[in-house]
Amino acid sequence: MAFFLQNLVNALQWGSFYALIAIGYSMVYGVLFLFNFAHGDIFMVGAYIGFFVSTGLLALASTGVVALPEGVTLALVLVLTLIISMILNSFVGMLVERIGYRPLRNAPRASAAITGLMIGIILETGNLAILGPQRRLFPDLIPTQTITVAGVSITNKKMLIVGISILLTVALHQFVQRSKWGMAMRAMAYDYVVVPLMGIPVNTVALMTFGLGSALAAAGGILYGTAYPVLDPNMGILFGWKAFVAAILGGRGSILGAGVAGFLLGFIEIFVATIFPSTMRNLIAFSIIMIILTFRPHGFFGEPYSARLRL
Amino acid sequence: MKHMKFVAVLLIATFVLAACGPAAPATIKIGINAPITGDIPKVGEGTKFAAELWLEEIGGTINVGGKDYKVELVIEDNESKGESAAAVNTKLITQDEVLVIVGPQASKQAVPAGAVANDLETPMISPWSTNPATTKDRPWVFRTPFLDPFQGPVIANFVTDEFGFTKAGVLYDIASDYPKGLAEYFKQAWEELHGEGSVVAFESFTTGDTDFSAQLTKIMDAGAEFIFAPQYYNEVALIVKQAHELGFTGPIVGSDSWGSAETVNLCGEDCYGLFFSTHYAAEGATGATKEFIDKYNAKYGYVPDDVAALTWDSLNIVKTAIENCGKLTGDIKADRKCVRDAMANIKEFHGITGDMTFTEEGDPIKCAVIVRISEEGKFTFYKQVCP
């Protein structure tokens, strides 16, 4: 039982990252009918921005500008890093939309998809060229405390990661469902052609969608950095692919769906690795997903009719 | 007047000799096949720095049969991929026409690259690859480190003597030659000591994975007293940290791939007090080894790791072979053959990573060192194990 629960805890943490990245994919796909394949690399950029912001803040704190107890300083650095990096990374996302996607707004979808791939490669190799190939160590912002309950080890990091992920997912869902801008996004997802006629600024909504998705990716990147503190320029590739799968599994444009599917993918991967040899992890995980899609081709929360609009 | 005549004759003689002498190569090209980018860039950096320091040390020339040749290093990046390493070797051999190749470092690259060097009949020496497949049945391929069939038992014996454990857990990358090979040699050695089933968990992952929680939970559940993780530095940091977060309190033991200058930078306090087997210990070194460490440290600002020291030794073996060759004809094929034969004839070598005796296969027999990562994060000598 403890063995099972321990894996459950591990899976929750692992799924959090997929969830946070999948939401960005899903939103862009929902609103603009676009696979933003650069999103995994935007996650990587977010992690690097987090690295620089937190290292900078820690250096600032060590000069003694503000004299606070160590625990408070670290907590403050973490919160500030999250906020600043999310804002900065949302600008990165908006820049990608403005430069990469807007000129292709009316181009065939395949052109836009390969633009995403190219932007991804530019971000990876750009990072490699500017920062060099060496790994970056993400600063330890949360001093690890391990709590053992009935043979299950839970760290404060894990709780925080899962907590923040769920919180952000729910907050974004509320934003899209309740706010006026959210309504505009849903309207665009519903009918791309008619919406501009109603006076909704399509470009602004597109920018906002990218910005929000990228902010979430930055949060994912920072949380990833606290759990797996070794950053490298290619860390976003595989993550991006898998999160994309989760986004499709969740259903087009559904934030909750992407969140749920992200966690589900985390669970499948962890439990496959505990039962079978780890070489079969991806094989079995993706076979399961194929089977699910065979029976639910539109994902968990996707709506069948929306597909006829532009594709 | 007589004096002038003599000078004139000498001058003319020089010109004639220079003009119609045989097309002797003015330079010796040495190819360096290193992982400058990719998974283990610090290894590439160490290789490059050691090679450049070596070039400076020999004054940029090697004397063969009374003639000074200028040495040129051709450093190429293999992206720490096997197929790229093979492509780099092909380029170095066919395009750059190097006399000899030093590298690649990791077995994942050295095994495929060795095949290319052997097929194209160019001597190659790998400074760091410990997997037997690199040199097996390849008369043109040599190496400087000890081999994994030796390293596996060294670690098994050390853990048995030091801690008295009987239950081992192993976590390794199944998609990479070195960890996979060494994990199997270790398992074999451990089961010879403690009987069938004494490796209670033999868990794998694939290159690029960053979450090991499922495997570690399984290893802990199986009751392993320690974990053997023959991985490279970036994975070491993640494995050790995650094991501690999952509440694992036993030691995590490593192999020579841990001996990178970057291991402690990435792993930090989590790695203090851990042991691994390796080629040399920088802390407390003496003689030529210390000289090398001091020079490297003065130039690049950090203590050289195993890779740097082994690259240095490999280059000196190459230098000895070229000198022993006696004469370079300028025909690259014949010269390569000459260097290969000279290298195969080196029976003993006193390097900064210890004394080596070479076997028929081109493999050295040498001692291993057990290193402890101190509370200051330094690699300190703990014990020497000889064959």
Side-chain angles (χ1 to χ4, degrees):
Chain A
M1 191 60 194
F3 179 69
F4 175 77
L5 285 176
Q6 181 68 61
N7 279 311
L8 200 68
V9 172
N10 299 343
L12 268 173
Q13 169 174 304
W14 193 234
S16 302
F17 305 116
Y18 286 140
L20 283 176
I21 306 171
I23 289 167
Y25 265 113
S26 189
M27 279 205 310
V28 170
Y29 179 38
V31 173
L32 295 169
F33 276 98
L34 188 79
F35 299 129
N36 175 21
F37 283 119
H39 196 62
D41 296 293
I42 289 176
F43 156 76
M44 176 275 291
V45 172
Y48 272 80
I49 292 177
F51 164 78
F52 286 110
V53 170
S54 57
T55 327
L57 286 174
L58 284 175
L60 193 72
S62 68
T63 56
V65 182
V66 276
L68 290 169
E70 207 200 331
V72 180
T73 313
L74 282 177
L76 197 65
V77 168
L78 179 70
V79 172
L80 284 177
T81 304
L82 271 170
I83 295 171
I84 297 172
S85 310
M86 283 169 77
I87 293 170
L88 288 179
N89 208 40
S90 67
F91 283 114
V92 173
M94 288 192 242
L95 203 68
V96 166
E97 197 280 331
R98 184 66 193 82
I99 298 172
Y101 292 112
R102 195 183 294 179
L104 295 167
R105 188 64 48 78
N106 295 314
R109 295 296 90 185
S111 306
I114 59 163
T115 304
L117 289 174
M118 287 184 284
I119 291 172
I121 292 170
I122 291 170
L123 290 175
E124 285 150 27
T125 46
N127 180 334
L128 198 65
I130 298 166
L131 299 175
Q134 70 271 35
R135 301 291 184 268
R136 301 281 166 167
L137 179 68
F138 201 90
D140 208 358
L141 297 178
I142 312 166
T144 311
Q145 283 164 3
T146 311
I147 311 148
T148 312
V149 190
V152 181
S153 290
I154 307 170
T155 56
N156 49 352
K157 275 183 194 169
K158 283 200 172 92
M159 292 197 279
L160 204 68
I161 288 166
V162 177
I164 292 179
S165 307
I166 294 176
L167 191 77
L168 285 173
T169 310
V170 173
L172 195 67
H173 179 73
Q174 291 299 323
F175 173 79
V176 172
Q177 293 302 323
R178 308 247 159 132
S179 75
K180 212 166 184 180
W181 283 107
M183 196 197 278
M185 287 168 70
R186 281 183 291 136
M188 257 176 87
Y190 190 77
D191 196 326
Y192 191 93
V193 184
V194 177
V195 156
L197 303 177
M198 306 293 155
I200 292 172
V202 173
N203 285 340
T204 315
V205 175
L207 278 180
M208 196 181 63
T209 310
F210 269 83
L212 283 173
S214 306
L216 241 63
I222 292 160
L223 295 177
Y224 180 87
T226 59
Y228 310 99
V230 183
L231 305 185
D232 82 279
N234 294 330
M235 61 190 263
I237 302 174
L238 202 61
F239 246 96
W241 291 348
K242 290 186 178 171
F244 173 64
V245 170
I248 299 299
L249 194 62
R252 187 182 78 91
S254 169
I255 288 165
L256 283 186
V260 169
F263 279 108
L264 181 77
L265 188 59
F267 280 100
I268 294 176
E269 284 202 5
I270 294 283
F271 279 97
V272 165
T274 59
I275 299 164
F276 301 98
S278 75
T279 31
M280 295 169 77
R281 179 187 271 196
N282 288 344
L283 178 77
I284 297 178
F286 288 100
S287 305
I288 293 174
I289 288 165
M290 265 193 60
I291 294 169
I292 297 176
L293 282 178
T294 311
F295 290 103
R296 280 204 70 88
H298 299 284
F300 297 141
F301 299 93
E303 289 155 19
Y305 67 85
S306 57
R308 76 186 146 82
L309 291 176
R310 270 180 74 90
L311 291 174
Chain B
M1 205 50 205
K2 207 174 176 185
H3 188 65
M4 283 298 285
K5 217 172 180 175
F6 176 69
V7 171
V9 169
L10 205 71
L11 266 174
I12 291 164
T14 319
F15 279 129
V16 170
L17 271 178
C20 54
T27 56
I28 291 173
K29 283 189 181 177
I30 297 176
I32 310 274
N33 189 339
I36 308 285
T37 62
D39 293 331
I40 44 172
K42 197 75 181 173
V43 170
E45 185 186 280
T47 315
K48 187 165 163 259
F49 284 173
E52 283 167 355
L53 191 68
W54 173 82
L55 191 67
E56 220 170 83
E57 176 82 5
I58 60 163
T61 56
I62 293 180
N63 188 296
V64 190
K67 187 174 186 309
D68 274 333
Y69 287 86
K70 195 174 162 290
V71 178
E72 190 190 320
L73 298 176
V74 187
I75 302 174
E76 287 283 338
D77 176 22
N78 62 32
E79 304 168 314
S80 57
K81 291 180 191 156
E83 60 278 18
S84 302
V88 162
N89 260 13
T90 312
K91 179 185 174 286
L92 287 172
I93 294 167
T94 57
Q95 214 170 315
D96 297 312
E97 302 209 307
V98 298
L99 181 62
V100 43
I101 293 168
V102 175
Q105 303 290 10
S107 298
K108 189 177 183 177
Q109 290 99 52
V111 175
V116 173
N118 197 56
D119 288 348
L120 297 176
E121 305 197 325
T122 303
M124 168 184 133
I125 182 164
S126 171
W128 201 41
S129 165
T130 50
N131 191 300
T134 305
T135 54
K136 198 165 188 328
D137 298 324
R138 290 173 181 171
W140 291 82
V141 184
F142 303 84
R143 78 170 91 217
T144 322
F146 50 66
L147 272 76
D148 289 337
F150 165 63
Q151 185 170 205
V154 163
I155 298 160
N157 288 327
F158 165 73
V159 174
T160 309
D161 296 346
E162 184 72 25
F163 301 106
F165 291 156
T166 52
K167 284 188 252 169
V170 179
L171 179 62
Y172 68 100
D173 179 355
I174 200 162
S176 184
D177 294 299
Y178 164 80
K180 183 173 180 290
L182 185 51
E184 276 156 12
Y185 289 116
F186 170 80
K187 183 170 188 259
Q188 199 185 333
W190 188 261
E191 288 189 337
E192 263 169 38
L193 285 172
H194 302 282
E196 201 69 24
S198 55
V199 174
V200 290
F202 197 64
E203 292 299 316
S204 63
F205 61 93
T206 32
T207 319
D209 283 1
T210 51
D211 182 88
F212 310 108
S213 56
Q215 291 94 326
L216 288 167
T217 305
K218 232 166 139 180
I219 290 172
M220 287 165 64
D221 192 56
E225 290 164 299
F226 74 102
I227 300 172
F228 174 54
Q231 289 309 133
Y232 297 108
Y233 60 81
N234 47 342
E235 290 139 353
V236 170
L238 293 172
I239 291 170
V240 173
K241 278 173 195 273
Q242 286 175 33
H244 288 165
E245 282 178 12
L246 287 169
F248 186 75
T249 48
I252 297 163
V253 180
S255 54
D256 68 306
S257 54
W258 282 38
S260 166
E262 197 82 337
T263 307
V264 174
N265 290 348
L266 292 179
C267 189
E269 284 178 28
D270 281 285
C271 275
Y272 293 0
L274 299 184
F275 294 94
F276 64 92
S277 65
T278 192
H279 309 276
Y280 96 123
E283 198 74 352
T286 54
T289 314
K290 184 159 182 356
E291 251 173 62
F292 164 72
I293 293 168
D294 290 345
K295 270 182 209 155
Y296 190 101
N297 201 352
K299 186 152 186 211
Y300 303 113
Y302 66 92
V303 175
D305 48 24
D306 294 23
V307 176
L310 288 165
T311 305
W312 179 272
D313 271 353
S314 306
L315 282 160
N316 278 325
I317 291 172
V318 163
K319 180 170 176 272
T320 310
I322 296 175
E323 283 167 354
N324 287 355
C325 180
K327 186 169 164 287
L328 292 181
T329 58
D331 172 10
I332 193 80
K333 281 219 160 95
D335 288 344
R336 281 175 183 162
K337 177 95 178 61
C338 178
V339 171
R340 189 220 81 91
D341 292 345
M343 213 185 276
N345 277 328
I346 298 177
K347 290 292 166 234
E348 275 183 32
F349 188 82
H350 305 286
I352 59 170
T353 59
D355 293 343
M356 314 163 204
T357 319
F358 286 89
T359 64
E360 283 300 306
E361 200 65 64
D363 296 329
I365 298 168
K366 64 198 280 194
C367 300
V369 175
I370 302 287
V371 160
R372 182 176 181 274
I373 303 176
S374 74
E375 270 64 38
E376 290 84 45
K378 295 237 167 33
F379 292 165
T380 51
F381 176 86
Y382 191 76
K383 194 176 182 180
Q384 190 176 41
V385 186
C386 291

